[in-house]
Amino acid sequence: DAGITQSPRHKVTETGTPVTLRCHQTENHRYMYWYRQDPGHGLRLIHYSYGVKDTDKGEVSDGYSVSRSKTEDFLLTLESATSSQTSVYFCAISEYQGDGYTFGSGTRLTVV
Amino acid sequence: SQQGEEDPQALSIQEGENATMNCSYKTSINNLQWYRQNSGRGLVHLILIRSNEREKHSGRLRVTLDTSKKSSSLLITASRAADTASYFCATDEWVGGAQKLVFGQGTRLTINP
């Protein structure tokens, strides 16, 4: 989607390895979010950011950490990947609270 | 927490017919949003309706909101094959001064030619 890119698009990793997913935006939006999407669970919020170095936990934050050192980048790290973290991960941005979100195209992560 | 729940889970109709999807939620909201997701893609924002609004239109989309029943509906008129997608409602949840969107599990819509 225009203005927001996620990398990588696909990744296969082994159990126990650390993994970092990147979300990059060119919209200069203040708010950034990481969701995971799983069958039967819909989208669930992992972490979100309301400014540089300002982050907070979402509904399913265990096993994940985030960092935002620049407005444009929001990194999601799986400290030690587990098979339960096999999912599709989406990043989203919004300019203001209460706005609609713009989503990235997602990262499909498989932990074997 | 899962606020919005869509109904039905799946809907299959003929091209040209209207499609109606419903969303119910549990707690009070400031706004409710609808998103579309094509297979293998990210979600696309369709429409936002605020708690003081009852109906909103955007092209072939019509959204209603009934805060007394804690429900919303999305109507797609004159459906097209390109409308085949999953549709999600999302409600805003405020925690510690921060607003987050909580998504339902979606309705999978199939438009048959």
Side-chain angles (χ1 to χ4, degrees):
Chain A
D1 286 281
I4 177 171
T5 55
Q6 292 184 233
S7 58
R9 289 297 312 277
H10 301 272
K11 185 170 182 67
V12 179
T13 192
E14 292 186 351
T15 299
T17 60
V19 177
T20 296
L21 309 183
R22 182 180 183 237
C23 178
H24 178 77
Q25 60 143 330
T26 57
E27 304 295 325
N28 201 37
H29 285 178
R30 178 180 176 184
Y31 299 94
M32 300 186 76
Y33 311 85
W34 276 108
Y35 285 85
R36 60 178 289 176
Q37 185 176 32
D38 305 286
H41 291 279
L43 280 91
R44 293 179 290 174
L45 182 65
I46 306 171
H47 280 280
Y48 63 99
S49 171
Y50 43 94
V52 173
K53 293 187 168 52
D54 290 324
T55 65
D56 207 345
K57 296 179 180 179
E59 180 187 359
V60 290
S61 59
D62 287 349
Y64 302 95
S65 62
V66 289
S67 67
R68 192 169 178 199
S69 59
K70 299 184 290 185
T71 298
E72 56 265 37
D73 289 324
F74 192 30
L75 304 180
L76 176 70
T77 298
L78 287 65
E79 307 289 346
S80 176
T82 68
S83 58
S84 64
Q85 293 176 313
T86 291
S87 186
V88 181
Y89 291 85
F90 287 101
C91 177
I93 61 175
S94 68
E95 187 170 9
Y96 305 108
Q97 293 194 107
D99 268 358
Y101 290 4
T102 300
F103 278 82
S105 298
T107 294
R108 183 173 294 275
L109 177 69
T110 303
V111 183
V112 297
Chain B
S1 62
Q2 199 119 45
Q3 261 268 55
E5 291 185 9
E6 289 90 344
D7 171 63
Q9 291 188 350
L11 179 63
S12 181
I13 61 173
Q14 295 300 119
E15 195 167 15
E17 294 180 339
N18 296 341
T20 299
M21 289 157 273
N22 303 295
C23 171
S24 60
Y25 56 93
K26 295 184 176 68
T27 62
S28 62
I29 59 171
N30 292 304
N31 69 63
L32 184 145
Q33 304 180 28
W34 285 91
Y35 289 79
R36 182 187 74 234
Q37 184 181 33
N38 292 93
S39 181
R41 306 292 297 273
L43 280 73
V44 174
H45 180 254
L46 295 176
I47 199 164
L48 182 154
I49 186 165
R50 302 197 184 282
S51 59
N52 61 353
E53 299 175 308
R54 291 297 167 258
E55 188 170 312
K56 206 159 181 181
H57 296 255
S58 177
R60 294 183 295 112
L61 306 181
R62 172 177 168 251
V63 169
T64 61
L65 179 64
D66 187 335
T67 53
S68 67
K69 295 181 179 178
K70 292 187 170 59
S71 68
S72 174
S73 67
L74 170 67
L75 168 68
I76 303 174
T77 60
S79 64
R80 306 167 182 169
D83 294 328
T84 293
S86 292
Y87 292 82
F88 295 85
C89 70
T91 51
D92 63 332
E93 183 176 278
W94 290 81
V95 179
Q99 183 242 24
K100 297 166 286 185
L101 284 185
V102 180
F103 288 82
Q105 294 190 31
T107 292
R108 181 181 294 276
L109 175 65
T110 302
I111 308 299
N112 301 303

